[in-house]
Amino acid sequence: MSSPNDPVASLVTIRDWLRYCLTRFRKAGEEQGLSHGHGGGAALDEAAFLILEALSLPVDDINPWLDARLTHSERERIAGLIEARISTRKPLPYLLGATWLQGRRFRVDERVIVPRSFIAGLLFSGAFGSAEGETGTLVDDPLAVTRVLDLCTGSGCLAILAADAFPNATIDAVDLSAAALEVARANVGDHGLEERITLFEGDLFAPLRRCRYDLIITNPPYVTRQAVMNFPPEYAAEPVMAHLGGDDGLDIVHRILEDAAAHLTEGGGLICEVGSGREALEAARPDLPLLWLDAEGHEGANGEAQGAGEVFWVTRATLA
Ligand SMILES: C[S@@+](CC[C@H](N)C(=O)[O-])C[C@H]1O[C@@H](n2cnc3c(N)ncnc32)[C@H](O)[C@@H]1O
């Protein structure tokens, strides 16, 4: 017989479960520092995402569903996810096997970092121009972009989104992790992009020989050793090679800047995410006119605001 305190027996509607999940998350936040950086940034966003994705409902708005009643097995699934999220401290997308970025669903598991790059939003923000031919954008005409490189592709999320943003482009995507590339391959297949995206295993530009690209996109590992050592469990659950960028976080960024010009077409450019590395990078490379872009707001591992000045753009002309 179920106890009167058993949530599976007593909670009926999505509204009930949203309230319950939020209470559990807030309590776990106070008692154990549960971190919500992988599930929308705040406890309420993550609770809504957990419920909607578990029920295969559209994840953008929970309001139309609040009074919907759940079956017993649906309640069991949601209760199990709430328990697992709090007891394992794994990022919710690992427990769900998926996350969403810019309206696209991506498979994820422990082989890849959970997709959340600021570059994803920038690809669709108008910064890269539009078919209407706006002036003053990073790329004159997105339809004229035919070759894109996604370095450090992980789950393949940015390569897949770039295929949307640049509909006439073929895309090469590189990662050093064979395990990450298995996930990327599944995502490329899910989105039907096998003809446009080619995956390469290797160290940065090494597998690409002399290929040149109109655009290089990269969200490389850029976290300092000290910050990695202090990660909350949610971030520590991700592959360390996806985060660790050496003592100052910039080891891989410097290597990319060193070699990018040789892989860009004449009018090409590089967009690169560096987290909080802006000051250190500007100090190390005062010769480079880096243009810092403002991405939409996100929250970091400790709930801090992120997104402004974490991504730079630099052209081949100034790199060469
Ligand atoms: C921050 S994650 C980014 C993943 C994905 N682009 C995203 O935005 O979600 C960095 C990725 O770089 C890969 N990586 C680390 N060192 C690398 C290297 N030397 N060459 C290529 N990829 C590397 C990691 O395996 C990881 O998948």
Side-chain angles (χ1 to χ4, degrees):
M1 221 175 85
S2 60
S3 94
N5 292 329
D6 176 5
V8 172
S10 56
L11 303 178
V12 178
T13 64
I14 287 185
R15 190 187 306 277
D16 294 337
W17 280 96
L18 183 64
R19 201 282 307 151
Y20 173 74
C21 184
L22 186 56
T23 301
R24 294 291 310 274
F25 279 178
R26 287 175 65 94
K27 193 157 179 284
E30 281 159 21
E31 290 173 0
Q32 335 159 6
L34 195 75
S35 158
H36 301 289
H38 300 89
L44 179 58
D45 296 329
E46 185 169 343
F49 175 49
L50 182 153
I51 293 165
L52 292 169
E53 180 66 21
L55 297 172
S56 301
L57 290 170
V59 294
D60 51 342
D61 185 7
I62 198 165
N63 288 298
W65 313 104
L66 284 172
D67 295 320
R69 297 166 68 85
L70 302 182
T71 66
H72 188 81
S73 67
E74 288 171 338
R75 299 181 208 178
E76 279 183 331
R77 169 145 168 76
I78 291 171
L81 283 166
I82 295 169
E83 291 308 322
R85 175 69 181 87
I86 292 168
S87 64
T88 68
R89 298 288 305 273
K90 287 185 184 179
L92 179 60
Y94 287 168
L95 302 173
L96 293 165
T99 195
W100 292 77
L101 196 59
Q102 294 296 316
R104 288 226 182 223
R105 189 172 188 273
F106 296 100
R107 292 186 204 214
V108 291
D109 60 35
E110 277 93 338
R111 292 172 290 179
V112 293
I113 194 171
V114 174
R116 56 184 176 281
S117 169
F118 301 125
I119 294 173
L122 285 166
L123 287 175
F124 300 97
S125 66
F128 285 93
S130 66
E132 284 76 49
E134 291 161 56
T135 54
T137 55
L138 304 179
V139 166
D140 289 338
D141 178 5
L143 298 179
V145 171
T146 58
R147 300 273 294 140
V148 175
L149 170 62
D150 175 24
L151 272 186
C152 302
T153 195
S155 61
C157 56
L158 295 180
I160 289 165
L161 293 174
D164 275 349
F166 306 103
N168 295 324
T170 55
I171 294 140
D172 289 345
V174 179
D175 205 285
L176 190 55
S177 159
L181 288 170
E182 287 170 17
V183 180
R185 193 158 291 112
N187 280 316
V188 168
D190 284 352
H191 294 286
L193 288 166
E194 297 95 331
E195 303 289 312
R196 291 183 58 204
I197 298 179
T198 308
L199 300 171
F200 294 87
E201 182 183 339
D203 183 13
L204 299 183
F205 297 98
L208 304 169
R209 303 219 176 85
R210 289 167 177 273
C211 289
R212 286 186 183 264
Y213 302 89
D214 301 321
L215 190 61
I216 300 174
I217 295 169
T218 184
N219 177 24
Y222 56 66
V223 184
T224 65
R225 196 175 306 282
Q226 189 63 38
V228 167
M229 279 161 45
N230 293 330
F231 268 163
E234 285 83 354
Y235 290 76
E238 294 178 303
V240 70
M241 72 182 284
H243 285 297
L244 186 60
D247 288 341
D248 70 351
L250 295 175
D251 288 3
I252 303 251
V253 175
H254 285 306
R255 289 180 55 210
I256 292 170
L257 283 170
E258 214 46 54
D259 293 339
H263 294 277
L264 283 166
T265 55
E266 201 142 315
L270 161 75
I271 183 165
C272 177
E273 183 164 327
V274 295
S276 55
R278 175 175 177 169
E279 222 180 288
L281 184 59
E282 285 181 330
R285 297 298 307 262
D287 56 312
L288 285 180
L290 305 175
L291 174 65
W292 294 92
L293 306 171
D294 281 345
E296 58 190 68
H298 288 246
E299 284 183 14
N302 302 310
E304 72 281 16
Q306 291 186 320
E310 300 198 16
V311 177
F312 69 80
W313 165 258
V314 66
T315 61
R316 176 180 186 271
T318 55
L319 277 171

